[in-house]
Amino acid sequence: MKTQSNHSHSNLLVYVLASLAALAPFAIDTYLPAFHVMGAQLGASDVQVQQSLTFYLLPYALMTLWHGAISDSIGRITTIKWGLGVFVLASIGCAFAPNIETLWFFRVLQGISGGAGNVVARAMVRDLFEGAQAQRVMATVQMLFGIAPAVAPIIGGLLLGIHWQAIFIFLALYAALSLWAAIRYLPETMPVEKRMPVSAKQVIKDYKVIFGDKEFNYVVLALSANFAGFFLYVLASPVFLVKQLGFTEHQFGYMFLPTVCGMILGSYLAKRAAGRYARQKVVKVAYLWMATMVILNVLICYLLPTQPLYNILPIALFNIGMALAMPILSLVALDRHPRIRGTAASGQAFIQMLLSTVSAGLVVPFVWYAPSGLALAMAGYLIFGWLMIRKSKFYNHQ
């Protein structure tokens, strides 16, 4: 009986950690279907509303460099309390913004605080679990982190039926609930005697160690590029789904449900493979699968008429390979620096978010002219990720 209660307790921990990790993508994607309505009500152009994404992503990416170091210093739970507390207030500010400039301001605040849950959750997985179990737990956390960008626009589309402000009220409630669950159920995994004083000098020194580690960079860039290949479609969804595939603001689920299923299946396979197959073998299979889907996607865009089924299916199938490789690559990177794992988790989240920010600001506006443009960009990201992982010792280790 005791093992069963331990098992359910450990499951509860995993879901609380996953809900913390999912907050960041929820903040990016829940309001995507509301872009046109918000523009009209706030007297702003499409581009100005699109900029509210960049105003969130850039501070988010920069702050992820600090959340881990702060949690190594003041403890994991205190960091979550501060981060999520500010996020709740910022979300309420967004809901009642009278104009686009006020929205931008509160989006910056959301960005500064929103990453605390994600970064600290990754570090806590590694604090709490070992070996194959850590791989399985990371697969669950990554799965829910991956599902969030897909479920969020569906929830956003439904809430838009009430009012666009309801979307930001939902974010405030979600963050408040996650905060309550974290305080109630999560143990403090950074004991006082292990804490390191946070000083800019020390943080810069730690990042020199982390980003000076080629192996860490190769693995994290590969992981981030795989994710960016899918995330392009999330960022481009207001144009890709509405203008190119002819869906309405309430039909975002037609792309996001299949892509979620791909991620769930990939994460399930990652959990099944943990401890059974060599990690290198699993990653090689994942890349072979992603490459096949990318080629299929490009061929479909050039040879077949634009049609939702053809254009969405390869993206959903690509996600199976992406979610299969993700937990392994994430743990390989974190295990490079066990002494400063919180900072390493920050470095990983920073690179992932930086690629997403580059996608939002620079890549997407250039390639969303047609489905073929997005397919080529996805192929470009996969090739980049493949070249990175090929250089790593992990991949070449027999």
Side-chain angles (χ1 to χ4, degrees):
M1 190 66 202
K2 185 126 193 289
T3 359
Q4 202 177 349
S5 77
N6 281 353
H7 183 64
S8 57
H9 179 64
S10 129
N11 275 350
L12 183 67
L13 290 186
V14 173
Y15 290 120
V16 175
L17 289 169
S19 76
L20 290 171
L23 176 66
F26 263 118
I28 298 167
D29 303 319
T30 315
Y31 81 130
L32 291 175
F35 269 27
H36 303 304
V37 177
M38 286 171 68
Q41 292 208 355
L42 297 173
S45 69
D46 275 0
V47 174
Q48 286 178 310
V49 182
Q50 165 81 11
Q51 285 311 317
S52 66
L53 266 177
T54 316
F55 276 110
Y56 171 84
L57 285 167
L58 200 57
Y60 179 99
L62 293 171
M63 269 310 289
T64 50
L65 289 172
W66 291 90
H67 291 308
I70 291 167
S71 80
D72 285 343
S73 170
I74 63 171
R76 310 283 192 231
I77 303 295
T78 313
T79 308
I80 290 171
K81 281 182 189 169
W82 275 101
L84 270 65
V86 171
F87 187 92
V88 170
L89 297 174
S91 302
I92 295 166
C94 288
F96 298 105
N99 51 42
I100 194 73
E101 291 78 12
T102 313
L103 181 76
W104 286 346
F105 171 77
F106 283 112
R107 286 294 280 167
V108 168
L109 270 189
Q110 273 189 324
I112 288 169
S113 57
N118 180 23
V119 172
V120 176
R122 285 183 204 217
M124 286 180 86
V125 168
R126 214 54 204 84
D127 293 340
L128 290 164
F129 304 99
E130 289 295 324
Q133 195 189 8
Q135 195 175 318
R136 282 191 284 272
V137 172
M138 192 63 95
T140 306
V141 171
Q142 299 278 23
M143 173 171 72
L144 289 162
F145 179 75
I147 288 171
V151 176
I154 302 170
I155 295 171
L158 293 171
L159 291 170
L160 190 55
I162 305 170
H163 196 281
W164 68 263
Q165 291 173 310
I167 294 170
F168 290 101
I169 297 296
F170 161 76
L171 286 175
L173 292 172
Y174 178 92
L177 191 63
S178 299
L179 176 58
W180 171 80
I183 293 168
R184 176 84 197 271
Y185 297 111
L186 292 182
E188 176 54 74
T189 59
M190 180 48 79
V192 178
E193 64 276 10
K194 279 193 180 174
R195 292 181 191 179
M196 318 223 175
V198 78
S199 74
K201 202 172 164 187
Q202 186 58 45
V203 170
I204 291 164
K205 203 170 137 191
D206 287 345
Y207 279 120
K208 274 186 180 165
V209 171
I210 288 170
F211 293 132
D213 174 6
K214 279 185 183 169
E215 183 72 4
F216 179 87
N217 291 337
Y218 290 147
V219 174
V220 172
L221 282 168
L223 177 150
S224 305
N226 299 345
F227 183 73
F230 158 64
F231 201 60
L232 278 170
Y233 283 92
V234 175
L235 295 167
S237 58
V239 168
F240 176 62
L241 295 179
V242 178
K243 292 188 178 163
Q244 290 166 7
L245 299 184
F247 289 123
T248 71
E249 276 88 348
H250 303 286
Q251 291 176 312
F252 272 48
Y254 285 105
M255 172 174 114
F256 288 104
L257 281 173
T259 52
V260 168
C261 293
M263 269 191 187
I264 293 173
L265 182 55
S267 297
Y268 170 75
L269 293 173
K271 284 163 88 169
R272 298 284 299 170
R276 291 185 187 191
Y277 301 101
R279 298 190 302 175
Q280 289 81 356
K281 200 173 190 175
V282 176
V283 169
K284 283 174 186 175
V285 168
Y287 269 97
L288 189 63
W289 177 264
M290 286 188 284
T292 310
M293 291 313 126
V294 159
I295 293 164
L296 182 68
N297 194 15
V298 172
L299 290 175
I300 284 172
C301 289
Y302 281 101
L303 302 178
L304 295 175
T306 300
Q307 204 260 10
L309 177 68
Y310 305 150
N311 289 102
I312 288 169
L313 193 63
I315 308 162
L317 293 172
F318 172 89
N319 278 359
I320 297 173
M322 191 257 286
L324 180 59
M326 212 181 210
I328 297 173
L329 297 179
S330 192
L331 288 170
V332 168
L334 288 183
D335 287 350
R336 297 286 302 162
H337 301 281
R339 191 185 61 81
I340 43 174
R341 201 172 277 137
T343 311
S346 277
Q348 186 179 314
F350 171 71
I351 293 178
Q352 200 170 330
M353 258 358 250
L354 197 61
L355 268 187
S356 300
T357 309
V358 168
S359 292
L362 301 174
V363 180
V364 170
F366 278 107
V367 297
W368 66 7
Y369 60 86
S372 56
L374 291 163
L376 290 172
M378 184 191 227
Y381 271 129
L382 183 69
I383 292 165
F384 174 67
W386 165 246
L387 291 173
M388 289 297 103
I389 200 69
R390 277 290 302 273
K391 290 182 168 192
S392 72
K393 288 189 194 123
F394 159 75
Y395 190 83
N396 296 302
H397 179 76
Q398 291 307 319

